[in-house]
Amino acid sequence: MSTTITITGAGGQIGYALLFRIAAGDLLGLDEKVRLRLLEIPQGIGAAEGAALELQDGAFGLLEHVEVTDDAAVAFDGCDLALLVGARPRGPGMERGDLLAANGGIFGPQGAAIAANAAPDVRVTVVGNPANTNALIAAASADGVPVSRFTALTRLDENRARAQLAQTLAVPVDTVRRVPIWGNHSATQFPDVSHATVAGRPVHEALEAIVGDVPAWLDSTFIPRVAKRGAEIIEVRGSSSVASAANATLDHVRDWVHGTGDWTSAGVVSQGQYGVPEGLVCSFPVQSIDGEWQVVEGLEVSDWARQRIDASVAELVEERNAVKALGLL
Ligand code: NAD
Ligand code: LMR
């Protein structure tokens, strides 16, 4: 058995952080061979070819084949897993939505190339920003591919949220569960601790003992820290997150393929759940069951949470209107 994985922007930073972990089995496990297709624009081909040489030198037993191309039809031919990373990152002082005009145009043609060439059950994960709306554009351009095959990465936000809680509570991060991200991968996102647990106990209870006024701490400290973590990384590091983004991409795709034991977060095409307008790519609490993302339904949403979800969904609507105005939808 082998899986064909297409990585766009493979010559870039996140591409470089992804390729070697995929070849080492971190995505699909140690029993699954992989065939890699590296899609770049002509300016990035040299970097992707260099990475391909290094992949060869890694002598990875699981790696069957590597191909570097600037032709989307070749890159997506028979593709099982498409990781759409190739896009410009933001710089200091920018919001991710500021990238719509620069990056949106990449995703329509790639969606069409996926529809024309990829495996019928292809799974697409959009990482390039603004990820939710780029995924919307790709899905809308992929005639014949069910929209459920298109997702946007918000797992990095969830990982950040769990890590912040673990640090505050001084507990191992894997004891913190059920911290879904709602809405957009942007500063309006809502990391939701309402249903979160730490070692099986409600996070609210555990937090109270440490921070006192939990709602005030969520508003003033936790939510902004998580929602603006991408900007914090850019400020401190000088460029946007790379290894943590690659790591979250692997988490997302691994769970999609192999299933989740519990809830996680992913940007999926809304079917109207929780009042989110149909068709928007919105992050929800999700579970992967039988290889499909399913929104966790029936959760109680307080008025306080509802306001935050609505604000992020309003931004997704604005982004959709903006790409319509740009002729990208
Ligand atoms: P980078 O500039 O290092 O790499 C981007 C690569 O994409 C470049 O090599 C470029 O040549 C290539 N590229 C551009 N247009 C392309 C196209 N049409 N087809 C194929 N390749 C193309 O950037 P990076 O640090 O790797 O980040 C990539 C994207 O991921 C950015 O948009 C960034 O904002 C986003 N990102 C998203 C998340 C998330 O959680 N969703 C996290 C981190 C970064
Ligand atoms: C992140 O969350 O780190 C990425 O989306 C990069 C960015 O622009 O914040």
Side-chain angles (χ1 to χ4, degrees), residues 14 89-91 94-96 99 127 129 156-157 160 185 189 227 229-234 240-242 244-245:
I14 296 175
R90 66 173 164 156
M94 293 171 77
E95 288 300 331
R96 299 177 188 103
L99 293 168
V127 177
N129 277 319
L156 177 57
D157 305 297
R160 289 167 170 166
H185 173 61
Q189 68 181 260
R229 183 67 160 190
E232 183 183 346
I233 301 284
I234 291 170
S240 70
S241 63
V242 175
S244 57

PDB file of all heavy atoms in Angstrom, residues 14 89-91 94-96 99 127 129 156-157 160 185 189 227 229-234 240-242 244-245, ligand 2:
ATOM      1  N   ILE A  14       7.276  25.877   5.732  1.00  0.00           N
ATOM      2  CA  ILE A  14       6.443  24.800   6.302  1.00  0.00           C
ATOM      3  C   ILE A  14       6.645  23.524   5.493  1.00  0.00           C
ATOM      4  O   ILE A  14       6.715  22.419   6.042  1.00  0.00           O
ATOM      5  CB  ILE A  14       4.950  25.216   6.347  1.00  0.00           C
ATOM      6  CG1 ILE A  14       4.780  26.397   7.294  1.00  0.00           C
ATOM      7  CG2 ILE A  14       4.065  24.052   6.792  1.00  0.00           C
ATOM      8  CD1 ILE A  14       3.379  26.982   7.335  1.00  0.00           C
ATOM      9  N   PRO A  89       3.113  34.194   3.388  1.00  0.00           N
ATOM     10  CA  PRO A  89       2.794  34.435   4.806  1.00  0.00           C
ATOM     11  C   PRO A  89       2.655  35.927   5.090  1.00  0.00           C
ATOM     12  O   PRO A  89       3.166  36.752   4.338  1.00  0.00           O
ATOM     13  CB  PRO A  89       4.012  33.865   5.556  1.00  0.00           C
ATOM     14  CG  PRO A  89       5.097  33.691   4.552  1.00  0.00           C
ATOM     15  CD  PRO A  89       4.548  33.921   3.171  1.00  0.00           C
ATOM     16  N   ARG A  90       1.967  36.277   6.180  1.00  0.00           N
ATOM     17  CA  ARG A  90       1.869  37.708   6.538  1.00  0.00           C
ATOM     18  C   ARG A  90       3.147  38.135   7.249  1.00  0.00           C
ATOM     19  O   ARG A  90       3.908  37.314   7.760  1.00  0.00           O
ATOM     20  CB  ARG A  90       0.659  37.966   7.424  1.00  0.00           C
ATOM     21  CG  ARG A  90       0.720  37.325   8.791  1.00  0.00           C
ATOM     22  CD  ARG A  90      -0.436  37.784   9.662  1.00  0.00           C
ATOM     23  NE  ARG A  90      -0.604  36.899  10.812  1.00  0.00           N
ATOM     24  CZ  ARG A  90      -1.176  37.252  11.943  1.00  0.00           C
ATOM     25  NH1 ARG A  90      -1.630  38.475  12.106  1.00  0.00           N
ATOM     26  NH2 ARG A  90      -1.310  36.384  12.937  1.00  0.00           N
ATOM     27  N   GLY A  91       3.344  39.437   7.282  1.00  0.00           N
ATOM     28  CA  GLY A  91       4.469  39.999   8.026  1.00  0.00           C
ATOM     29  C   GLY A  91       3.951  40.756   9.232  1.00  0.00           C
ATOM     30  O   GLY A  91       2.745  40.795   9.479  1.00  0.00           O
ATOM     31  N   MET A  94       0.383  42.890   9.959  1.00  0.00           N
ATOM     32  CA  MET A  94      -0.714  42.481   9.054  1.00  0.00           C
ATOM     33  C   MET A  94      -1.652  41.529   9.783  1.00  0.00           C
ATOM     34  O   MET A  94      -1.231  40.802  10.672  1.00  0.00           O
ATOM     35  CB  MET A  94      -0.153  41.714   7.835  1.00  0.00           C
ATOM     36  CG  MET A  94       0.676  42.534   6.890  1.00  0.00           C
ATOM     37  SD  MET A  94       1.463  41.435   5.668  1.00  0.00           S
ATOM     38  CE  MET A  94       0.108  41.085   4.552  1.00  0.00           C
ATOM     39  N   GLU A  95      -2.922  41.506   9.354  1.00  0.00           N
ATOM     40  CA  GLU A  95      -3.839  40.437   9.765  1.00  0.00           C
ATOM     41  C   GLU A  95      -3.850  39.408   8.637  1.00  0.00           C
ATOM     42  O   GLU A  95      -3.515  39.732   7.495  1.00  0.00           O
ATOM     43  CB  GLU A  95      -5.250  40.985  10.017  1.00  0.00           C
ATOM     44  CG  GLU A  95      -5.382  41.831  11.277  1.00  0.00           C
ATOM     45  CD  GLU A  95      -5.029  41.099  12.574  1.00  0.00           C
ATOM     46  OE1 GLU A  95      -5.206  39.872  12.650  1.00  0.00           O
ATOM     47  OE2 GLU A  95      -4.555  41.767  13.517  1.00  0.00           O
ATOM     48  N   ARG A  96      -4.265  38.175   8.949  1.00  0.00           N
ATOM     49  CA  ARG A  96      -4.218  37.123   7.916  1.00  0.00           C
ATOM     50  C   ARG A  96      -5.162  37.460   6.753  1.00  0.00           C
ATOM     51  O   ARG A  96      -4.876  37.152   5.610  1.00  0.00           O
ATOM     52  CB  ARG A  96      -4.558  35.767   8.512  1.00  0.00           C
ATOM     53  CG  ARG A  96      -3.565  35.345   9.595  1.00  0.00           C
ATOM     54  CD  ARG A  96      -3.979  34.031  10.205  1.00  0.00           C
ATOM     55  NE  ARG A  96      -3.177  33.663  11.357  1.00  0.00           N
ATOM     56  CZ  ARG A  96      -3.567  33.770  12.632  1.00  0.00           C
ATOM     57  NH1 ARG A  96      -4.759  34.244  12.928  1.00  0.00           N
ATOM     58  NH2 ARG A  96      -2.772  33.386  13.605  1.00  0.00           N
ATOM     59  N   LEU A  99      -4.181  39.006   3.464  1.00  0.00           N
ATOM     60  CA  LEU A  99      -3.544  38.192   2.414  1.00  0.00           C
ATOM     61  C   LEU A  99      -4.532  37.718   1.359  1.00  0.00           C
ATOM     62  O   LEU A  99      -4.128  37.085   0.379  1.00  0.00           O
ATOM     63  CB  LEU A  99      -2.874  36.952   3.044  1.00  0.00           C
ATOM     64  CG  LEU A  99      -1.678  37.217   3.956  1.00  0.00           C
ATOM     65  CD1 LEU A  99      -1.325  35.948   4.727  1.00  0.00           C
ATOM     66  CD2 LEU A  99      -0.473  37.674   3.127  1.00  0.00           C
ATOM     67  N   VAL A 127      -3.654  25.102   4.433  1.00  0.00           N
ATOM     68  CA  VAL A 127      -2.827  25.718   5.473  1.00  0.00           C
ATOM     69  C   VAL A 127      -2.566  27.186   5.123  1.00  0.00           C
ATOM     70  O   VAL A 127      -2.555  28.058   5.992  1.00  0.00           O
ATOM     71  CB  VAL A 127      -1.494  24.945   5.611  1.00  0.00           C
ATOM     72  CG1 VAL A 127      -0.568  25.605   6.636  1.00  0.00           C
ATOM     73  CG2 VAL A 127      -1.755  23.487   5.983  1.00  0.00           C
ATOM     74  N   ASN A 129      -2.740  30.947   4.277  1.00  0.00           N
ATOM     75  CA  ASN A 129      -3.686  31.926   4.829  1.00  0.00           C
ATOM     76  C   ASN A 129      -4.276  32.872   3.791  1.00  0.00           C
ATOM     77  O   ASN A 129      -3.630  33.158   2.798  1.00  0.00           O
ATOM     78  CB  ASN A 129      -2.972  32.742   5.909  1.00  0.00           C
ATOM     79  CG  ASN A 129      -2.979  32.015   7.228  1.00  0.00           C
ATOM     80  OD1 ASN A 129      -3.972  31.413   7.611  1.00  0.00           O
ATOM     81  ND2 ASN A 129      -1.851  32.060   7.932  1.00  0.00           N
ATOM     82  N   LEU A 156      -3.649  24.080  14.853  1.00  0.00           N
ATOM     83  CA  LEU A 156      -2.564  24.801  15.524  1.00  0.00           C
ATOM     84  C   LEU A 156      -3.146  25.668  16.643  1.00  0.00           C
ATOM     85  O   LEU A 156      -2.579  25.749  17.734  1.00  0.00           O
ATOM     86  CB  LEU A 156      -1.802  25.655  14.493  1.00  0.00           C
ATOM     87  CG  LEU A 156      -0.685  26.538  15.034  1.00  0.00           C
ATOM     88  CD1 LEU A 156       0.367  25.733  15.805  1.00  0.00           C
ATOM     89  CD2 LEU A 156      -0.009  27.299  13.881  1.00  0.00           C
ATOM     90  N   ASP A 157      -4.282  26.295  16.383  1.00  0.00           N
ATOM     91  CA  ASP A 157      -4.915  27.132  17.402  1.00  0.00           C
ATOM     92  C   ASP A 157      -5.328  26.276  18.605  1.00  0.00           C
ATOM     93  O   ASP A 157      -5.160  26.671  19.760  1.00  0.00           O
ATOM     94  CB  ASP A 157      -6.142  27.842  16.807  1.00  0.00           C
ATOM     95  CG  ASP A 157      -5.776  28.625  15.561  1.00  0.00           C
ATOM     96  OD1 ASP A 157      -4.980  29.552  15.669  1.00  0.00           O
ATOM     97  OD2 ASP A 157      -6.269  28.277  14.466  1.00  0.00           O
ATOM     98  N   ARG A 160      -2.324  25.337  20.578  1.00  0.00           N
ATOM     99  CA  ARG A 160      -1.876  26.492  21.365  1.00  0.00           C
ATOM    100  C   ARG A 160      -2.749  26.657  22.612  1.00  0.00           C
ATOM    101  O   ARG A 160      -2.260  26.953  23.705  1.00  0.00           O
ATOM    102  CB  ARG A 160      -1.967  27.760  20.509  1.00  0.00           C
ATOM    103  CG  ARG A 160      -0.920  27.820  19.422  1.00  0.00           C
ATOM    104  CD  ARG A 160      -1.226  28.904  18.398  1.00  0.00           C
ATOM    105  NE  ARG A 160      -0.107  29.109  17.495  1.00  0.00           N
ATOM    106  CZ  ARG A 160      -0.171  29.775  16.361  1.00  0.00           C
ATOM    107  NH1 ARG A 160      -1.311  30.330  15.978  1.00  0.00           N
ATOM    108  NH2 ARG A 160       0.894  29.911  15.605  1.00  0.00           N
ATOM    109  N   HIS A 185      -9.628  31.060  11.439  1.00  0.00           N
ATOM    110  CA  HIS A 185      -8.220  31.044  11.877  1.00  0.00           C
ATOM    111  C   HIS A 185      -7.714  32.480  11.774  1.00  0.00           C
ATOM    112  O   HIS A 185      -7.055  32.868  10.813  1.00  0.00           O
ATOM    113  CB  HIS A 185      -7.406  30.100  10.985  1.00  0.00           C
ATOM    114  CG  HIS A 185      -5.926  30.167  11.260  1.00  0.00           C
ATOM    115  ND1 HIS A 185      -5.376  29.845  12.474  1.00  0.00           N
ATOM    116  CD2 HIS A 185      -4.887  30.538  10.472  1.00  0.00           C
ATOM    117  CE1 HIS A 185      -4.064  30.003  12.426  1.00  0.00           C
ATOM    118  NE2 HIS A 185      -3.739  30.426  11.224  1.00  0.00           N
ATOM    119  N   GLN A 189     -11.057  34.290  16.277  1.00  0.00           N
ATOM    120  CA  GLN A 189     -11.384  32.901  16.650  1.00  0.00           C
ATOM    121  C   GLN A 189     -11.793  32.812  18.125  1.00  0.00           C
ATOM    122  O   GLN A 189     -11.368  33.624  18.956  1.00  0.00           O
ATOM    123  CB  GLN A 189     -10.173  32.003  16.441  1.00  0.00           C
ATOM    124  CG  GLN A 189      -9.053  32.304  17.418  1.00  0.00           C
ATOM    125  CD  GLN A 189      -7.835  31.435  17.197  1.00  0.00           C
ATOM    126  OE1 GLN A 189      -7.649  30.473  17.904  1.00  0.00           O
ATOM    127  NE2 GLN A 189      -7.015  31.769  16.203  1.00  0.00           N
ATOM    128  N   ALA A 227      -5.574  33.646  20.388  1.00  0.00           N
ATOM    129  CA  ALA A 227      -6.008  34.185  19.086  1.00  0.00           C
ATOM    130  C   ALA A 227      -4.909  34.991  18.412  1.00  0.00           C
ATOM    131  O   ALA A 227      -4.872  35.090  17.193  1.00  0.00           O
ATOM    132  CB  ALA A 227      -7.264  35.034  19.290  1.00  0.00           C
ATOM    133  N   ARG A 229      -1.582  34.429  18.931  1.00  0.00           N
ATOM    134  CA  ARG A 229      -0.305  33.726  19.067  1.00  0.00           C
ATOM    135  C   ARG A 229       0.503  33.771  17.769  1.00  0.00           C
ATOM    136  O   ARG A 229       1.734  33.864  17.796  1.00  0.00           O
ATOM    137  CB  ARG A 229      -0.568  32.272  19.475  1.00  0.00           C
ATOM    138  CG  ARG A 229       0.676  31.470  19.720  1.00  0.00           C
ATOM    139  CD  ARG A 229       1.453  31.960  20.934  1.00  0.00           C
ATOM    140  NE  ARG A 229       2.341  30.935  21.425  1.00  0.00           N
ATOM    141  CZ  ARG A 229       3.009  30.986  22.566  1.00  0.00           C
ATOM    142  NH1 ARG A 229       2.909  32.052  23.345  1.00  0.00           N
ATOM    143  NH2 ARG A 229       3.788  30.004  22.933  1.00  0.00           N
ATOM    144  N   GLY A 230      -0.201  33.704  16.633  1.00  0.00           N
ATOM    145  CA  GLY A 230       0.513  33.764  15.346  1.00  0.00           C
ATOM    146  C   GLY A 230       1.290  35.069  15.243  1.00  0.00           C
ATOM    147  O   GLY A 230       2.454  35.086  14.824  1.00  0.00           O
ATOM    148  N   ALA A 231       0.646  36.177  15.662  1.00  0.00           N
ATOM    149  CA  ALA A 231       1.315  37.489  15.608  1.00  0.00           C
ATOM    150  C   ALA A 231       2.474  37.539  16.604  1.00  0.00           C
ATOM    151  O   ALA A 231       3.526  38.122  16.330  1.00  0.00           O
ATOM    152  CB  ALA A 231       0.307  38.591  15.899  1.00  0.00           C
ATOM    153  N   GLU A 232       2.279  36.908  17.765  1.00  0.00           N
ATOM    154  CA  GLU A 232       3.359  36.878  18.771  1.00  0.00           C
ATOM    155  C   GLU A 232       4.582  36.147  18.205  1.00  0.00           C
ATOM    156  O   GLU A 232       5.723  36.601  18.354  1.00  0.00           O
ATOM    157  CB  GLU A 232       2.851  36.179  20.043  1.00  0.00           C
ATOM    158  CG  GLU A 232       3.870  36.156  21.164  1.00  0.00           C
ATOM    159  CD  GLU A 232       3.375  35.400  22.406  1.00  0.00           C
ATOM    160  OE1 GLU A 232       2.163  35.108  22.548  1.00  0.00           O
ATOM    161  OE2 GLU A 232       4.245  35.087  23.251  1.00  0.00           O
ATOM    162  N   ILE A 233       4.332  35.038  17.526  1.00  0.00           N
ATOM    163  CA  ILE A 233       5.453  34.272  16.941  1.00  0.00           C
ATOM    164  C   ILE A 233       6.162  35.140  15.893  1.00  0.00           C
ATOM    165  O   ILE A 233       7.404  35.196  15.848  1.00  0.00           O
ATOM    166  CB  ILE A 233       4.949  32.962  16.275  1.00  0.00           C
ATOM    167  CG1 ILE A 233       4.213  32.070  17.280  1.00  0.00           C
ATOM    168  CG2 ILE A 233       6.091  32.215  15.580  1.00  0.00           C
ATOM    169  CD1 ILE A 233       5.039  31.308  18.264  1.00  0.00           C
ATOM    170  N   ILE A 234       5.369  35.831  15.072  1.00  0.00           N
ATOM    171  CA  ILE A 234       5.972  36.679  14.024  1.00  0.00           C
ATOM    172  C   ILE A 234       6.850  37.764  14.665  1.00  0.00           C
ATOM    173  O   ILE A 234       7.969  38.024  14.220  1.00  0.00           O
ATOM    174  CB  ILE A 234       4.876  37.290  13.122  1.00  0.00           C
ATOM    175  CG1 ILE A 234       4.226  36.192  12.282  1.00  0.00           C
ATOM    176  CG2 ILE A 234       5.449  38.397  12.223  1.00  0.00           C
ATOM    177  CD1 ILE A 234       2.976  36.610  11.528  1.00  0.00           C
ATOM    178  N   SER A 240       6.682  33.869  10.329  1.00  0.00           N
ATOM    179  CA  SER A 240       5.550  33.168  10.927  1.00  0.00           C
ATOM    180  C   SER A 240       5.898  31.739  11.312  1.00  0.00           C
ATOM    181  O   SER A 240       6.919  31.189  10.896  1.00  0.00           O
ATOM    182  CB  SER A 240       4.316  33.244  10.035  1.00  0.00           C
ATOM    183  OG  SER A 240       4.452  32.482   8.888  1.00  0.00           O
ATOM    184  N   SER A 241       5.031  31.162  12.115  1.00  0.00           N
ATOM    185  CA  SER A 241       5.257  29.831  12.691  1.00  0.00           C
ATOM    186  C   SER A 241       5.501  28.806  11.583  1.00  0.00           C
ATOM    187  O   SER A 241       4.881  28.864  10.517  1.00  0.00           O
ATOM    188  CB  SER A 241       4.039  29.418  13.514  1.00  0.00           C
ATOM    189  OG  SER A 241       2.907  29.321  12.672  1.00  0.00           O
ATOM    190  N   VAL A 242       6.373  27.874  11.844  1.00  0.00           N
ATOM    191  CA  VAL A 242       6.730  26.880  10.823  1.00  0.00           C
ATOM    192  C   VAL A 242       6.592  25.459  11.391  1.00  0.00           C
ATOM    193  O   VAL A 242       5.712  24.699  10.995  1.00  0.00           O
ATOM    194  CB  VAL A 242       8.164  27.125  10.300  1.00  0.00           C
ATOM    195  CG1 VAL A 242       8.570  26.021   9.329  1.00  0.00           C
ATOM    196  CG2 VAL A 242       8.244  28.484   9.618  1.00  0.00           C
ATOM    197  N   SER A 244       5.626  24.348  14.298  1.00  0.00           N
ATOM    198  CA  SER A 244       4.370  24.075  15.021  1.00  0.00           C
ATOM    199  C   SER A 244       3.213  23.973  14.027  1.00  0.00           C
ATOM    200  O   SER A 244       2.263  23.199  14.242  1.00  0.00           O
ATOM    201  CB  SER A 244       4.097  25.157  16.069  1.00  0.00           C
ATOM    202  OG  SER A 244       4.061  26.436  15.456  1.00  0.00           O
ATOM    203  N   ALA A 245       3.302  24.739  12.931  1.00  0.00           N
ATOM    204  CA  ALA A 245       2.251  24.667  11.894  1.00  0.00           C
ATOM    205  C   ALA A 245       2.329  23.327  11.173  1.00  0.00           C
ATOM    206  O   ALA A 245       1.299  22.677  10.920  1.00  0.00           O
ATOM    207  CB  ALA A 245       2.423  25.812  10.906  1.00  0.00           C
TER     208      ALA A 245
HETATM  209  C1  LMR B   2      -0.111  31.161  12.601  1.00  0.00           C
HETATM  210  O1  LMR B   2      -1.180  31.079  13.203  1.00  0.00           O
HETATM  211  O2  LMR B   2       0.979  31.072  13.178  1.00  0.00           O
HETATM  212  C2  LMR B   2      -0.132  31.341  11.101  1.00  0.00           C
HETATM  213  O3  LMR B   2      -1.437  31.461  10.626  1.00  0.00           O
HETATM  214  C3  LMR B   2       0.745  32.437  10.644  1.00  0.00           C
HETATM  215  C4  LMR B   2       0.164  33.790  10.953  1.00  0.00           C
HETATM  216  O4  LMR B   2       0.153  34.631  10.050  1.00  0.00           O
HETATM  217  O5  LMR B   2      -0.251  34.008  12.092  1.00  0.00           O
END
